[in-house]
Amino acid sequence: MSLKKLRIYNNLISTPRIIITCLSAIIVRYYLMMSKYQSVIANHVEVSTPLNSWKRVSEGLYLLSLNINPYEGDLLHETPLSLYLYKNILQVFQGKIHLAFITLDVTTAVVLYFTTKKFTEDLFVEEEENKATYAKDAEECFLKPDKLFKSSYYVLLTYLFNPYILFSCVGYSTTVFYNLYLSVMLFSMVHGIPVLCGVFLAIAASVSFYPVVLVLPITMYFKYAIKSHTKIIVNLTSFVVTSLLIFVLCSNFGTDFSYIRSVYGCILTIPDLQPNVGLFWYFFTEMFEHFRELFIYAFQINTTILYLIPVSLKFRKHPFLLTVAVNFIITIFKSYPSVGDVGFVLSLMPSFSHLFPFSQQGFLVGTMLVISTSLAPILYYLWIYCNSANANFYFGVTLSFAVAQIFLLTDLLFSQVKRDYMLKYGKDRKIDGEEGILCLE
Amino acid sequence: MKCLIVSLGILFICHLVHSYEGTITEELLIKPLYSEQVYTHFQFSTKWDIDPDKETFRHSPLFPRPLGEIVQRFDIQELHVTLTSGLWRYEKWGYPVKDAATGVEVLAWFKPGSDVDKNWKLLANSLSGLLCASLNFIDNTNTIKPEFSFRPRGILESNLLNNSYVRYANLPHEIVCTENLTPWKKLLPCDSRTGLASLLNSGHIHNTRYHSIGLHLRPVCRDKSCESMSLELQQTVSLVYDYLILGTKNWSLRKLFGQGINRKCVLVSKSDVYVDTTNQDIELEPPPDETVTSVRGGQVTTLQKYIVSNQFLNIYAKFQNADLVSLNLPPPLHANQYLSGYGQERGGIVTKIYNNHWKQIDVVLMQNIPWFIPIYLHTLKVTADGRDIKPIQLRYIPARQRERPTYLEVLLTVPARTATSVVIDFDYVFLKWQEYPPDANFGFHIGSAVISSYLPVARNYTAVPWDGSLISDSFNASRSGYLVEVRTENLIITLPTPDFSMPYNVICLACTVVALAFGPLHNITTRKLILKSKRKVLLIERIKKFLFSLKKTKTE
């Protein structure tokens, strides 16, 4: 297929349609933010964790205005730079904080749209090039341009109307900012802009620490998808330089390091045990004191570097999937996850629509997500307000929420493995003239 | 021989008494409160004419040596300890002679140049031993350094007035009982056998609505010229008896304390009992030695004075008209504190300050909030009559988990004849399971707030002025302002609890979920996808095959 024809396919979704989608998303967000449900949503622990709640940001800004160091206390876990950013955004939007959040959220969606658009295009071009090496009867799992190129629009749709993202935006959680950083990072990665990619990776890492490990997948992307060694170096350099710059600015030119304890200390040692959708809170509530350190190390290693190298090696040929998968692992196992993080990863799923035929647990995962999401607030209410349930109920729900995400992740990765096999050996599954089954050995 | 020993002993005691330079006084104030109670306040003052900065306390005649050692070892400038059970109801009872919050309160000033934090911890431990109270729970997690609320009561060079030398802590959950009173009585010069102290019988004291024992140590001027210093120790006991518990309105010393005053303590230079009969139609038996009328800040008080001699004294008060109920004007300033909100997620602490005076009053609100109740300062709202009031000054040090409490001091002007409410929001914190007390669902205490102010009028005011030491010094002591430190109620907050019975289950379940991720990811990344025969070879077939192969080899 010629490049021109490809572009025509890729622009199947007209611009007005995108604009209308965005506009309707804005209206939905605005309506919810103006309604009485705004504070209800913002107060939910699934939406606002200690790390991203806007109430804590307001407290930090207020303390700053009184000339009290906001990191003296325990409430604020945002970096000084983020705080400075929020202060300026509030000034730009003249205190109309809801408009700021809507703008940022829709920007993220559009950035993700262009990211997926470029990714699917690259994917298609790559397959066209390699078609000669594929098995003869694998045609039915070839990419179908009409389906494939719609997925970018689906990403936009899932991001804008995903209830997780919607709640996170309406609840003024600062995950909206974090998602924007990640989306710009993905965008510049896919478009091969190493400087921007490094800068936003550094920003994302400075906010939530965990994205540091995305360095490896991004390097893989520049190596295997863009095939440029200079870009790897440029990317790494810009990441390191920006990180240093952020550190210098946050520490007030090396004079005040109090934020490190409040931001990274909190992320890494989990002193605040407020419930959230993750696994850490109850685990470390019920932990025996002398084992606490051991398990903190174990869980943090599990989140960051345990899977990083094997997954990076196995999926080096699919660096975008690798990046999303590593981000997904972070989202599942990070110390203070919120539904905004989950929503971000989920909304990227349509870009892997070509893997869906190979997935096996879609229904199971979908059901688990729906049930656990709807049960979580109910059981929390029963525990905290009615005193008729206890912490175990909510813990059970967060467990199943985590299991659902884990199933989705492993299913996605396994689908990629199966598709690779299919392309290589065809759909024939006969062994010694008998029907065989595929298994990992 | 016996005679000789006795006379030698007497001589020795006489010498001891003689070598002691200073005065020991004891006073008792009995004040029928307007409502259904009678308030009694004992004050034992030991003034020792030494320079507290230079004295080594190796030899301390009459002054309690344990306290002397504490002063010397921990570089104490001034010390106030109160142990209180029950709540002083300002609205109905007016102001007490010494304000005290429910539970234990310790306030200390240290001498400049000492290691204050270390000394404070050691002081708490020593006091804990001295008073048999759990003061050893005082540490950095509940200690603050108030800036405005407390001023030294003794003399101090003004350039040393710095909040880095002051420490304040309260233990609202501490229960005060007989075991605290007994060691306290041991510090008295005459012990509890003679003098006013003989009235302090545990059985009757703990039968009251409110009882508070206190130790107040401060350096004072030796005389009017104030050229040299003395060390003063005030031991106080405040009791509020309820007529309902007494069974009658007509009280007597015997009814209140179980016995009358037997003898005067020989060491005491002044031993007086005052009965406040202002606006009360009381007939006293025996008749008082003297009637004192005191005009203070526009308030006229009539007091009947009894001088304790070596004769037995039992004062009996009879209300002439038992049905007469005297109406009480509430004091100019009083306060309440309560929690707002429901559930165990978010709440608010509301402090209501009532100003009944016709003029606005400047007050300082001080709160010492434990670390497990993190407050949001931006939600601090001061309103009166629906109008917002801007605090004049604010001091705030936020809490840090497991390290220090929230310290908040708000200086504000309370408008006349209104209730001003100070609201601040907080979050309920989820603690580690081992941090909960055995009765986790009982709740955690938040200590009382302290509202200090200089009142322009002395209505319902009984406190001794700072330049005086005796209750008699408060008669006719009109000043430009009258310091009150109003204490509010303690609060109890039930934090959400985890299930204490299943740490193992939780650890297992969470680890299982991690394993659910580890297993498949490990498989996918380390193994290869291969095609395998679907047909399973049964065990019997395998054996058959094996036997066949054996047969074949045999035949061959």
Side-chain angles (χ1 to χ4, degrees):
Chain A
M1 198 186 283
S2 70
L3 208 65
K4 204 178 160 192
K5 205 173 168 187
L6 190 141
R7 292 257 188 265
I8 294 167
Y9 261 122
N10 206 355
N11 289 328
L12 273 177
I13 313 297
S14 61
T15 321
R17 202 160 154 188
I18 293 167
I19 293 171
I20 289 170
T21 315
C22 289
L23 272 180
S24 47
I26 291 171
I27 291 166
V28 170
R29 277 167 171 70
Y30 188 78
Y31 172 75
L32 279 175
M33 281 172 175
M34 287 297 111
S35 72
K36 61 180 177 185
Y37 299 111
Q38 195 281 326
S39 60
V40 178
I41 293 169
N43 281 340
H44 267 283
V45 284
E46 295 86 0
V47 176
S48 298
T49 66
L51 241 55
N52 70 4
S53 100
W54 187 253
K55 196 176 179 188
R56 291 175 189 246
V57 172
S58 323
E59 173 76 5
L61 290 175
Y62 183 73
L63 289 183
L64 264 189
S65 72
L66 291 179
N67 276 328
I68 299 172
N69 180 4
Y71 300 102
E72 277 280 298
D74 268 331
L75 284 176
L76 187 71
H77 305 296
E78 302 273 352
T79 60
L81 214 58
S82 308
L83 213 57
Y84 182 74
L85 176 76
Y86 302 141
K87 198 170 139 193
N88 283 300
I89 281 184
L90 275 175
Q91 268 167 15
V92 168
F93 284 87
Q94 290 164 351
K96 290 184 176 113
I97 189 67
H98 51 282
L99 294 184
F101 274 95
I102 293 174
T103 319
L104 291 171
D105 216 25
V106 173
T107 315
T108 311
V110 174
V111 171
L112 282 182
Y113 168 76
F114 285 110
T115 309
T116 323
K117 202 165 164 180
K118 175 79 167 107
F119 162 66
T120 46
E121 201 178 293
D122 288 350
L123 194 72
F124 192 74
V125 170
E126 195 199 340
E127 199 182 89
E128 289 290 303
E129 281 169 6
N130 294 337
K131 242 175 194 169
T133 60
Y134 294 157
K136 285 189 187 66
D137 58 349
E139 270 157 27
E140 67 178 64
C141 65
F142 283 172
L143 299 172
K144 290 164 196 70
D146 52 334
K147 268 192 178 172
L148 181 70
F149 292 130
K150 268 187 190 155
S151 57
S152 55
Y153 179 65
Y154 291 141
V155 167
L156 183 79
L157 266 185
T158 31
Y159 190 84
L160 287 177
F161 295 101
N162 183 340
Y164 295 141
I165 293 292
L166 209 63
F167 289 153
S168 158
C169 177
V170 172
Y172 299 156
S173 95
T174 56
T175 307
V176 170
F177 288 82
Y178 174 66
N179 285 347
L180 180 66
Y181 306 146
L182 279 185
S183 66
V184 175
M185 187 201 79
L186 287 177
F187 173 84
S188 45
M189 180 186 88
V190 170
H191 283 80
I193 317 168
V195 178
L196 196 65
C197 185
V199 168
F200 273 88
L201 176 62
I203 296 175
S206 80
V207 169
S208 139
F209 175 74
Y210 291 113
V212 169
V213 296
L214 289 174
V215 169
L216 192 60
I218 289 171
T219 310
M220 291 286 180
Y221 195 91
F222 283 113
K223 184 161 164 43
Y224 290 97
I226 306 212
K227 301 187 178 69
S228 159
H229 281 95
T230 40
K231 284 194 174 174
I232 295 179
I233 294 162
V234 173
N235 174 51
L236 288 178
T237 324
S238 74
F239 168 66
V240 172
V241 169
T242 320
S243 297
L244 281 177
L245 203 67
I246 290 173
F247 175 70
V248 168
L249 287 176
C250 282
S251 63
N252 202 3
F253 299 97
T255 52
D256 184 9
F257 299 103
S258 55
Y259 83 99
I260 291 181
R261 180 189 166 280
S262 287
V263 182
Y264 306 114
C266 177
I267 293 170
L268 294 177
T269 62
I270 316 119
D272 196 326
L273 298 166
Q274 193 195 59
N276 55 42
V277 288
L279 292 171
F280 279 61
W281 65 275
Y282 205 41
F283 188 72
F284 287 106
T285 302
E286 296 272 10
M287 180 51 63
F288 297 99
E289 207 47 53
H290 47 288
F291 288 130
R292 183 175 300 272
E293 215 158 304
L294 168 78
F295 275 100
I296 284 176
Y297 277 113
F299 267 53
Q300 297 291 12
I301 288 171
N302 176 59
T303 318
T304 50
I305 53 175
L306 181 63
Y307 308 115
L308 182 66
I309 291 162
V311 173
S312 297
L313 290 176
K314 181 78 180 182
F315 295 99
R316 61 184 183 278
K317 297 279 167 57
H318 311 286
F320 187 73
L321 174 71
L322 170 65
T323 316
V324 174
V326 171
N327 191 29
F328 206 163
I329 293 173
I330 294 173
T331 306
I332 301 169
F333 293 118
K334 77 199 281 192
S335 43
Y336 297 97
S338 72
V339 288
D341 298 305
V342 182
F344 182 80
V345 188
L346 286 184
S347 60
L348 278 170
M349 288 299 126
S351 36
F352 305 108
S353 58
H354 56 288
L355 300 179
F356 288 176
F358 299 93
S359 75
Q360 289 171 318
Q361 290 158 337
F363 177 71
L364 180 71
V365 170
T367 323
M368 279 173 91
L369 282 181
V370 169
I371 291 180
S372 54
T373 318
S374 43
L375 272 183
I378 298 172
L379 293 177
Y380 190 74
Y381 186 85
L382 285 180
W383 169 30
I384 297 295
Y385 289 93
C386 300
N387 269 323
S388 53
N390 67 14
N392 299 340
F393 292 67
Y394 192 75
F395 174 61
V397 168
T398 58
L399 277 186
S400 73
F401 193 68
V403 169
Q405 292 176 68
I406 289 168
F407 280 179
L408 182 59
L409 169 70
T410 51
D411 203 22
L412 186 73
L413 293 179
F414 196 39
S415 306
Q416 183 65 55
V417 173
K418 279 193 275 191
R419 184 166 184 271
D420 286 348
Y421 180 89
M422 191 90 148
L423 287 174
K424 198 169 178 187
Y425 300 108
K427 62 169 185 174
D428 186 27
R429 295 197 179 171
K430 288 262 166 64
I431 181 163
D432 298 338
E434 284 178 56
E435 222 18 56
I437 52 159
L438 283 173
C439 60
L440 288 165
E441 207 147 79
Chain B
M1 190 64 200
K2 225 177 186 180
C3 206
L4 189 73
I5 292 171
V6 171
S7 51
L8 267 178
I10 290 168
L11 261 176
F12 179 68
I13 291 170
C14 288
H15 172 75
L16 256 184
V17 175
H18 189 72
S19 71
Y20 178 79
E21 286 170 0
T23 44
I24 299 171
T25 51
E26 50 181 36
E27 283 171 304
L28 166 63
L29 173 72
I30 302 176
K31 186 184 177 194
L33 298 172
Y34 294 96
S35 40
E36 304 289 296
Q37 288 85 23
V38 57
Y39 169 47
T40 59
H41 180 82
F42 292 82
Q43 186 161 309
F44 304 90
S45 296
T46 312
K47 196 172 148 202
W48 189 14
D49 293 343
I50 45 127
D51 186 350
D53 290 341
K54 293 183 188 124
E55 178 62 40
T56 54
F57 296 97
R58 289 244 172 75
H59 176 64
S60 63
L62 302 178
F63 188 86
R65 180 160 174 172
L67 265 176
E69 279 175 3
I70 284 175
V71 170
Q72 198 235 343
R73 196 172 295 167
F74 308 129
D75 290 331
I76 306 246
Q77 172 77 27
E78 210 180 305
L79 173 70
H80 301 273
V81 187
T82 54
L83 295 99
T84 311
S85 158
L87 177 72
W88 184 268
R89 301 188 181 274
Y90 288 91
E91 195 182 349
K92 287 183 184 166
W93 300 349
Y95 299 109
V97 181
K98 294 268 183 212
D99 296 280
T102 312
V104 172
E105 254 187 327
V106 185
L107 173 70
W109 266 271
F110 292 87
K111 282 178 188 146
S114 59
D115 184 354
V116 176
D117 284 313
K118 189 179 147 223
N119 281 346
W120 171 246
K121 182 81 197 122
L122 290 171
L123 168 72
N125 280 297
S126 300
L127 285 176
S128 162
L130 189 68
L131 293 170
C132 292
S134 310
L135 290 169
N136 51 324
F137 284 114
I138 290 175
D139 53 15
N140 291 336
T141 61
N142 50 22
T143 302
I144 57 168
K145 308 171 206 170
E147 205 174 319
F148 305 125
S149 291
F150 301 114
R151 283 279 167 268
R153 294 295 178 90
I155 47 171
L156 184 71
E157 284 178 46
S158 60
N159 58 342
L160 298 173
L161 202 64
N162 185 330
N163 78 324
S164 59
Y165 302 123
V166 61
R167 293 291 182 277
Y168 170 81
N170 55 356
L171 298 173
H173 52 266
E174 184 66 21
I175 294 162
V176 181
C177 204
T178 331
E179 80 252 25
N180 309 114
L181 185 73
T182 312
W184 179 92
K185 279 200 277 196
K186 293 230 166 84
L187 302 174
L188 292 170
C190 289
D191 210 331
S192 57
R193 275 180 290 277
T194 51
L196 293 179
S198 62
L199 295 177
L200 298 171
N201 296 312
S202 317
H204 288 81
I205 283 182
H206 297 101
N207 206 11
T208 50
R209 278 279 294 270
Y210 169 92
H211 64 91
S212 169
I213 62 175
L215 285 177
H216 304 273
L217 194 74
R218 59 172 189 170
V220 290
C221 289
R222 198 169 292 176
D223 45 33
K224 281 260 159 54
S225 60
C226 207
E227 273 160 358
S228 46
M229 281 197 282
S230 294
L231 186 65
E232 185 202 80
L233 169 70
Q234 279 186 353
Q235 288 183 257
T236 57
V237 179
S238 292
L239 307 163
V240 175
Y241 287 89
D242 202 307
Y243 292 142
L244 278 176
I245 298 174
L246 289 178
T248 165
K249 224 173 159 183
N250 300 328
W251 53 263
S252 68
L253 285 187
R254 178 170 259 166
K255 190 131 204 143
L256 297 176
F257 306 107
Q259 65 181 66
I261 305 163
N262 246 340
R263 252 175 319 130
K264 187 184 163 187
C265 163
V266 285
L267 301 168
V268 162
S269 58
K270 191 176 174 208
S271 182
D272 295 338
V273 179
Y274 299 96
V275 182
D276 189 330
T277 54
T278 319
N279 297 336
Q280 306 262 1
D281 202 3
I282 305 178
E283 189 188 321
L284 288 173
E285 181 70 42
D289 299 325
E290 200 180 316
T291 299
V292 186
T293 311
S294 153
V295 183
R296 190 184 192 191
Q299 178 92 344
V300 182
T301 323
T302 318
L303 293 123
Q304 312 300 333
K305 184 177 171 184
Y306 291 90
I307 298 164
V308 177
S309 60
N310 267 335
Q311 280 167 348
F312 179 81
L313 176 68
N314 179 25
I315 301 167
Y316 177 74
K318 189 165 187 280
F319 280 79
Q320 296 294 40
N321 192 348
D323 300 330
L324 197 75
V325 177
S326 53
L327 271 179
N328 171 32
L329 272 175
L333 188 78
H334 61 100
N336 282 132
Q337 183 175 247
Y338 56 88
L339 289 173
S340 65
Y342 67 101
Q344 295 178 324
E345 201 174 12
R346 264 167 284 272
I349 298 174
V350 186
T351 313
K352 277 224 152 135
I353 306 168
Y354 299 86
N355 178 5
N356 300 316
H357 190 51
W358 57 271
K359 228 169 97 183
Q360 61 186 31
I361 301 177
D362 287 341
V363 301
V364 181
L365 166 68
M366 186 200 75
Q367 263 171 326
N368 175 2
I369 302 168
W371 60 263
F372 42 80
I373 297 147
I375 61 166
Y376 290 93
L377 191 66
H378 75 274
T379 60
L380 178 77
K381 227 177 148 162
V382 186
T383 45
D385 272 344
R387 280 179 294 112
D388 280 356
I389 294 172
K390 217 176 133 33
I392 302 164
Q393 275 276 11
L394 196 76
R395 288 286 180 278
Y396 176 65
I397 297 174
R400 210 171 244 191
Q401 288 198 343
R402 298 164 187 98
E403 275 179 38
R404 63 156 186 244
T406 303
Y407 152 65
L408 178 70
E409 264 185 314
V410 192
L411 199 88
L412 42 101
T413 305
V414 181
R417 293 180 194 286
T418 46
T420 308
S421 62
V422 183
V423 186
I424 194 153
D425 286 1
F426 67 89
D427 272 355
Y428 286 72
V429 155
F430 295 77
L431 303 175
K432 298 169 186 165
W433 73 292
Q434 282 163 327
E435 286 174 334
Y436 288 91
D439 51 349
N441 287 310
F442 173 77
F444 292 79
H445 288 266
I446 307 178
S448 85
V450 179
I451 293 137
S452 339
S453 178
Y454 274 103
L455 294 180
V457 288
R459 192 164 78 223
N460 298 340
Y461 190 75
T462 52
V464 178
W466 76 272
D467 51 354
S469 337
L470 310 172
I471 291 176
S472 53
D473 289 339
S474 69
F475 304 151
N476 297 315
S478 286
R479 299 286 186 278
S480 56
Y482 303 92
L483 178 70
V484 284
E485 285 163 2
V486 175
R487 262 60 166 192
T488 63
E489 297 90 341
N490 290 335
L491 302 173
I492 289 188
I493 170 173
T494 352
L495 295 181
T497 52
D499 186 344
F500 295 106
S501 61
M502 51 182 279
Y504 287 104
N505 304 5
V506 170
I507 293 169
C508 289
L509 286 168
C511 288
T512 308
V513 171
V514 173
L516 271 181
F518 184 81
L521 283 174
H522 177 255
N523 274 339
I524 291 167
T525 50
T526 56
R527 293 179 180 192
K528 236 177 144 179
L529 197 63
I530 55 156
L531 201 59
K532 230 179 152 184
S533 175
K534 210 178 202 174
R535 210 166 66 93
K536 272 185 189 154
V537 186
L538 292 169
L539 186 66
I540 294 174
E541 272 180 34
R542 268 194 211 171
I543 294 167
K544 262 185 193 169
K545 217 175 178 179
F546 179 69
L547 288 175
F548 264 114
S549 63
L550 277 182
K551 229 179 197 177
K552 260 184 194 172
T553 46
K554 246 183 201 172
T555 48
E556 274 169 11

